Amino acid sequence: MKVIITADHAGMTIRNEIKELLKEMNIEFEDTGCSCEESVDYPDYALPAAERIANGEFDRGIFICGTGIGMSIAANKVKGIRCALTHDVYSAKLTRQHNDSNVIALGERVLGPGLAREIVKVWLETEFDGGRHENRINKITKYEDS
Ligand code: RB5
């Protein structure tokens, strides 16, 4: 699995925590987050990273900002992206099983780094259930293609 991680200035601490997790899990990743020396605009990070997932260069994305909301809104504008704004472990598991989410958005001002790590670990380890859930995703894809 190849992962792209990105963040604005409000996501630096959790971004570093998640990078450590990815190293521990031996998951290949690229970090395209900001240098974080000044305030930046989250779409400038979310949109290019999401496009690199949509074009197949990466399998999954982990996008972090202050609330996770801006990153998730921007990511979901890119065709083929299913970004889940997720702040609990149960939703992290279910959004993989039911939604086959390929991006997770996290808010550093909402979560502590320990919980963020647990959420991302479960999200990375959980497979898509397929079946009836696949039919539902196909309806979204059909809408995107129309
Ligand atoms: C930056 O202050 C903040 O607005 C941004 O990180 C994010 O929370 C937007 O949704």
Side-chain angles (χ1 to χ4, degrees), residues 1-143:
M1 184 193 302
K2 277 183 75 178
V3 171
I4 185 164
I5 181 166
T6 199
D8 71 2
H9 57 284
M12 192 165 72
T13 302
I14 284 184
R15 165 183 160 198
N16 288 336
E17 183 75 29
I18 299 305
K19 283 167 69 177
E20 287 308 310
L21 173 69
L22 293 171
K23 285 177 198 163
E24 287 167 25
M25 293 177 77
N26 286 317
I27 292 176
E28 189 182 343
F29 69 92
E30 183 176 324
D31 176 9
T32 64
C34 71
S35 65
C36 298
E37 282 153 11
E38 58 191 32
S39 179
V40 296
D41 300 331
Y42 58 81
D44 295 339
Y45 294 85
L47 294 170
E51 281 177 359
R52 292 177 73 186
I53 298 162
N55 74 17
E57 193 181 344
F58 292 92
D59 304 298
R60 304 264 198 100
I62 302 166
F63 294 6
I64 307 150
C65 63
T67 59
I69 297 170
M71 284 287 186
S72 64
I73 292 171
N76 278 316
K77 297 294 180 194
V78 176
K79 188 175 163 185
I81 295 301
R82 292 179 300 279
C83 175
L85 171 60
T86 307
H87 288 143
D88 67 275
V89 173
Y90 177 78
S91 300
K93 184 176 177 187
L94 268 288
T95 191
R96 284 291 311 132
Q97 290 179 332
H98 289 194
N99 313 121
D100 197 18
S101 53
N102 49 13
V103 177
I104 190 168
L106 304 168
E108 177 161 315
R109 294 172 183 163
V110 183
L111 286 176
L115 180 55
R117 171 186 273 263
E118 290 304 308
I119 288 168
V120 172
K121 189 167 190 295
V122 164
W123 184 74
L124 289 168
E125 289 176 340
T126 305
E127 296 295 325
F128 178 46
D129 279 353
R132 68 185 188 280
H133 303 294
E134 186 136 39
N135 298 339
R136 293 163 184 167
I137 287 168
N138 287 344
K139 290 187 179 187
I140 297 170
T141 305
K142 193 174 166 194
Y143 178 81

